[in-house]
């Protein structure tokens, strides 16, 4: 797509804004675009909407046709969300700012279809196939990204933990500001053959040049023009890592810098990623922060780890969050003890090596959404799903019993009277049971809407699966989407830091509705009561249609094991 909008006007020698030719065949990486917009469209000039205009639709593709119009103050803010997933961040953003004009970019077809069904404009594509210098993006004011975390996750192969690869990728990412035209230098005359390097010192062999020790008409400080295309930078980043998904972190610099390069009024960047980005590979976070603050020249860039359970979710979800703003401090900005924060963040490294990691982002700034207000209610899994607090959840099926202790081995079970563990894809097979039922013998399953609710998604979120073959249900695929998605609660808190209204009241109202936090919502239900049977039917993952079949499953004869203490963690 990089060459889609290249004009024949660029065939001659490239020149800068003052008409000076660049030396040695240098050519800026900006789009050479002839300037056409909807303002020049005769069809729209006659009153046709951009969505009905072939010229505007073709010009803006794959973005909304009305983005062919120049953005003006008073219009809804345009935003781009990279790695949009099934719409968790978008749903959270909607709690605090439902008037935005956002485009989501997502490769996974099921996640893209889900977000589209939820009402979002989705570009279903590999983000690396898109050029952020597309002229339709010149009105973008906000950018958010949630790059894939598989190479950083504890559960994966941890390719993103490789110190040598991370060091090389960090070095490349440090060059983003130079690659995309944001490196300020003392002397630009190096572009025209000298006599100075771009830091102002004299080039070897040019000491006798008339301007060597003075200031000529081609000399002067300023920003180096961009010297790389997004495609070239991506290729370079991918060349140093064993898993190309790690290199997707570079998109968090490529997109914002290229958007500003083409004149977009970008004012904020937010990012969500695995907590291991900070804990295990802080050099990448440092590279992004240093390029945004020092290279890009923005006013604020903070990093922190935030748990969705601290903002209202019924399950834990620790994620690294970055907030960057161009001109001013974001909402909820706070200055904190960065040294203490660093020692807490990398205590595991300090214990092992006796020192902190060499390359780390500054942690002396953070976002504190509560601002001294009472925390939102802690919601247990039992309360979220309207189950008895003394029930248990088994996430791994029946476990063997340790003969020495009489307790089930291997974990995978927890009481419902607490905030749940982080939801992962295998949770689609979780089973619930009363305390007197042996571990692994529960019969109550969980529905996908309830699984999504534990993370923070509304129960009516339109989870969508496109089966590759007849009969495929996609249960595991949807559960994986839920596990990968941004928690709506964190999405609201960190979106509000840069846009829209304060997060507190709308999120509290959303939490109360999602988890039914009214006076009667936490009343225990007897396992054999009619209400329990109705709830069991609602929670059936596969949607039983035969009540008799459901009752047979609930009350099928079974051989009970010896009584086991209910205070165990199986």
């Amino acid at each position: 797509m990089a060459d889609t909008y290249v004009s024949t006007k660029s065939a001659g020698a490239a020149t800068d804004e003052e008409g000076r030719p660049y030396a040695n065949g240098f050519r800026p990486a900006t789009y050479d675009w002839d300037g056409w917009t909807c303002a020049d469209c005769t069809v729209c000039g006659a009153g046709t909407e951009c969505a009905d205009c072939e010229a505007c639709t073709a010009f803006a593709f794959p973005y909304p046709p009305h983005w062919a119009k120049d953005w003006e103050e008073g219009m809804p803010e345009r935003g781009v969300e990279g790695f949009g997933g099934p719409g968790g961040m978008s749903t959270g953003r909607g709690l605090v700012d439902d008037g935005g004009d956002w485009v989501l970019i997502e490769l996974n077809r099921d996640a893209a279809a889900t977000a589209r069904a939820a009402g979002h404009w989705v570009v279903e594509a590999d983000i690396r196939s898109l050029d952020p210098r597309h002229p339709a993006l010149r009105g973008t004011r906000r950018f958010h990204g949630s790059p894939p975390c598989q190479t950083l996750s504890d559960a994966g192969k941890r390719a993103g933990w490789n110190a040598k690869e991370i060091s090389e990728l960090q070095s490349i990412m440090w060059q983003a500001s130079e690659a995309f035209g944001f490196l300020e230098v003392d002397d630009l005359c190096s572009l025209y053959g000298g006599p100075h390097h771009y830091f102002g010192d004299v080039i070897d062999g040019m000491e006798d040049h008339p301007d060597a020790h003075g200031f000529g008409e081609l000399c002067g400080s300023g920003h180096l023009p961009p010297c790389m295309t997004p495609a070239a930078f991506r290729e370079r980043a991918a060349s140093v890592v064993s898993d190309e998904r790690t290199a997707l972190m570079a998109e968090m610099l490529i997109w914002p810098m290229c958007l500003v390069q083409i004149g977009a009024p970008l004012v904020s960047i937010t990012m969500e990623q695995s907590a291991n980005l900070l804990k295990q590979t802080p050099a990448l976070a440092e590279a992004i922060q240093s390029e945004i603050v020092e290279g890009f020249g923005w006013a604020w860039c903070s990093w922190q780890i935030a748990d969705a359970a601290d903002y209202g979710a019924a399950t834990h979800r620790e994620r690294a969050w970055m907030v960057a703003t161009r001109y001013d401090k974001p909402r909820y900005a706070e200055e904190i003890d960065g040294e203490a924060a660093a020692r807490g963040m990398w205590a595991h490294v300090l214990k092992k090596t006796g020192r902190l990691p060499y390359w780390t982002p500054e942690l002396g700034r953070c976002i504190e959404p509560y601002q001294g207000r009472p925390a939102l209610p802690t919601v247990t899994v039992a309360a979220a799903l309207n189950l008895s607090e003394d029930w248990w959840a088994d996430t791994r099926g029946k476990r063997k019993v340790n003969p020495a202790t009489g307790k089930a081995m291997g974990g995978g079970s927890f009481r419902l009277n607490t905030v749940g563990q982080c939801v992962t894809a295998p949770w689609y097979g979780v089973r619930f049971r009363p305390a007197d039922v042996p571990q692994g013998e529960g019969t109550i399953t969980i529905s996908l809407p309830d699984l999504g609710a534990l993370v923070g998604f509304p129960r009516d979120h339109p989870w969508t699966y496109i089966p590759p073959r007849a009969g495929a249900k996609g249960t595991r695929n949807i559960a994986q989407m839920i596990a990968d998605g941004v928690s709506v609660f964190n999405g609201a808190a960190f979106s509000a830091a840069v846009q829209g209204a304060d997060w507190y009241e709308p999120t509290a109202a959303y939490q109360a509705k999602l988890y039914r936090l009214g006076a009667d919502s936490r009343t225990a239900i007897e396992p054999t009561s009619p209400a329990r049977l109705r709830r069991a039917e609602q929670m059936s993952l596969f949607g039983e249609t035969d009540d008799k079949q459901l009752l047979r499953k609930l009350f099928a004869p079974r051989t009970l094991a010896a009584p086991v203490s209910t205070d165990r963690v199986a």
Side-chain angles (χ1 to χ4, degrees):
M1 180 148 179
D3 297 327
T4 304
Y5 296 90
V6 173
S7 157
T8 56
K9 294 195 303 180
S10 63
T15 61
D16 68 7
E17 293 180 355
E18 298 181 12
R20 302 181 295 188
Y22 294 118
N24 305 318
F26 175 83
R27 186 180 300 278
T30 52
Y31 255 129
D32 195 352
W33 158 58
D34 64 8
W36 188 94
T37 68
C38 179
D40 305 307
C41 180
T42 56
V43 176
C44 292
T48 300
E49 294 293 330
C50 290
D52 299 320
C53 173
E54 292 184 4
C56 288
T57 301
F59 170 81
F61 183 83
Y63 307 103
H66 69 269
W67 282 22
K69 291 183 177 179
D70 288 334
W71 183 85
E72 299 177 358
E73 289 289 344
M75 289 183 175
E77 286 191 332
R78 295 179 188 175
V80 173
E81 181 178 337
F83 317 99
M89 183 70 184
S90 303
T91 302
R93 185 168 52 239
L95 293 181
V96 299
D97 184 5
D98 61 359
D101 188 3
W102 281 75
V103 166
L104 277 58
I105 301 170
E106 174 55 44
L107 176 60
N108 181 280
R109 66 174 184 174
D110 297 325
T114 298
R116 193 176 291 116
H120 306 297
W121 184 283
V122 182
V123 176
E124 187 178 333
D126 185 332
I127 195 170
R128 295 167 296 185
S129 70
L130 302 174
D131 194 323
R133 301 167 302 167
H134 191 303
L137 298 174
R138 291 173 305 107
T140 306
R141 289 179 58 83
R142 311 281 180 188
F143 182 80
H144 172 80
S146 297
C149 64
Q150 290 91 336
T151 65
L152 297 171
S153 170
D154 290 316
K157 296 182 178 180
R158 304 182 182 180
W161 295 24
N162 184 291
K164 183 177 183 298
E165 289 185 8
I166 294 304
S167 178
E168 293 183 5
L169 182 57
Q170 177 192 31
S171 296
I172 290 171
M173 291 171 65
W174 274 338
Q175 301 172 49
S177 56
E178 180 176 0
F180 300 119
F182 296 97
L183 179 64
E184 189 169 7
V185 298
D186 292 333
D187 208 324
L188 289 172
C189 72
S190 60
L191 296 175
Y192 313 106
H196 305 121
H197 290 298
Y198 60 48
F199 289 122
D201 51 318
V202 179
I203 298 173
D204 289 344
M206 301 193 74
E207 292 83 359
D208 295 332
H209 190 283
D211 297 326
H213 304 289
F215 189 85
E217 62 177 294
L218 297 180
C219 301
S221 62
H223 289 89
L224 286 178
C227 60
M228 291 187 75
T229 64
F233 196 85
R234 288 162 173 160
E235 183 178 356
R236 193 173 177 193
S239 70
V240 299
V241 294
S242 57
D243 191 319
E244 62 182 9
R245 290 174 295 183
T246 305
L248 288 170
M249 292 289 294
E251 299 297 326
M252 296 306 302
L253 294 174
I254 293 172
W255 276 78
M257 288 188 173
C258 286
L259 288 170
V260 174
Q261 182 191 117
I262 63 172
L266 194 71
V267 292
S268 72
I269 310 166
T270 51
M271 175 182 176
E272 181 258 12
Q273 178 54 283
S274 165
N276 281 335
L277 173 66
L278 287 178
K279 293 180 178 179
Q280 304 296 343
T281 59
L284 292 185
E286 187 280 336
I288 293 174
Q289 185 183 70
S290 64
E291 285 298 280
I292 289 176
V293 175
E294 298 172 18
F296 216 7
W298 280 30
W300 175 282
C301 183
S302 60
W303 280 101
Q304 67 196 85
I305 290 177
D307 187 349
D310 294 334
Y311 298 92
T315 53
H316 292 287
R317 179 155 299 209
E318 279 195 342
R319 292 292 187 267
W321 282 88
M322 184 199 78
V323 173
T325 48
R326 187 171 185 174
Y327 300 116
D328 302 305
K329 291 182 178 181
R331 183 185 278 154
Y332 317 133
E334 288 197 358
E335 305 284 343
I336 60 174
D337 185 340
E339 181 66 22
R343 288 183 172 275
M345 180 72 70
W346 297 294
H348 59 293
V349 179
L350 196 61
K351 181 179 180 180
K352 184 176 181 180
T353 68
R355 62 179 179 81
L356 296 172
Y358 192 73
W359 292 111
T360 63
E362 294 289 335
L363 299 184
R365 294 173 161 186
C366 75
I367 303 300
E368 176 42 69
Y370 278 111
Q371 293 295 295
R373 295 171 288 193
L376 294 185
T378 297
V379 180
T380 66
V381 174
L385 301 181
N386 206 15
L387 293 171
S388 298
E389 294 279 342
D390 62 346
W391 275 41
W392 284 74
D394 298 327
T395 61
R396 297 186 182 180
K398 189 171 181 61
R399 314 300 287 173
K400 293 181 180 179
V401 175
N402 186 328
T405 64
K407 296 181 179 181
M409 297 186 296
S413 299
F414 62 90
R415 289 278 298 270
L416 301 191
N417 63 346
T418 185
V419 174
Q421 307 159 15
C422 181
V423 170
T424 58
W427 271 54
Y428 73 89
V430 71
R431 290 179 179 271
F432 302 106
R433 58 185 169 87
D436 60 346
V437 172
Q439 194 273 347
E441 295 188 16
T443 57
I444 307 302
T445 57
I446 189 169
S447 70
L448 291 175
D450 277 345
L451 185 60
L454 290 178
V455 173
F457 284 94
R459 283 184 169 82
D460 60 354
H461 199 69
W463 301 108
T464 304
Y465 174 68
I466 303 172
R469 64 185 185 281
K473 296 181 178 179
T475 302
R476 180 85 162 68
N477 300 67
I478 294 176
Q480 187 67 61
M481 278 195 277
I482 294 171
D484 289 342
V486 177
S487 172
V488 172
F489 291 98
N490 273 356
F494 284 90
S495 291
V498 296
Q499 67 187 98
D502 176 48
W503 78 290
Y504 191 75
E505 290 188 6
T507 306
Y510 176 79
Q511 183 200 42
K513 179 179 180 182
L514 178 66
Y515 295 138
R516 301 174 295 265
L517 299 184
D520 299 327
S521 63
R522 303 191 191 193
T523 302
I525 302 175
E526 290 301 317
T528 56
S529 70
R532 156 61 43 215
L533 298 182
R534 287 196 298 273
R535 184 65 185 153
E537 183 176 10
Q538 292 169 4
M539 293 183 66
S540 174
L541 180 62
F542 300 104
E544 298 285 358
T545 56
D546 186 345
D547 287 344
K548 291 182 180 180
Q549 183 178 355
L550 177 62
L551 291 173
R552 282 197 295 269
K553 291 177 95 175
L554 287 171
F555 302 107
R558 60 176 179 265
T559 301
L560 295 179
V564 180
S565 171
T566 59
D567 62 356
R568 75 191 189 284
V569 177

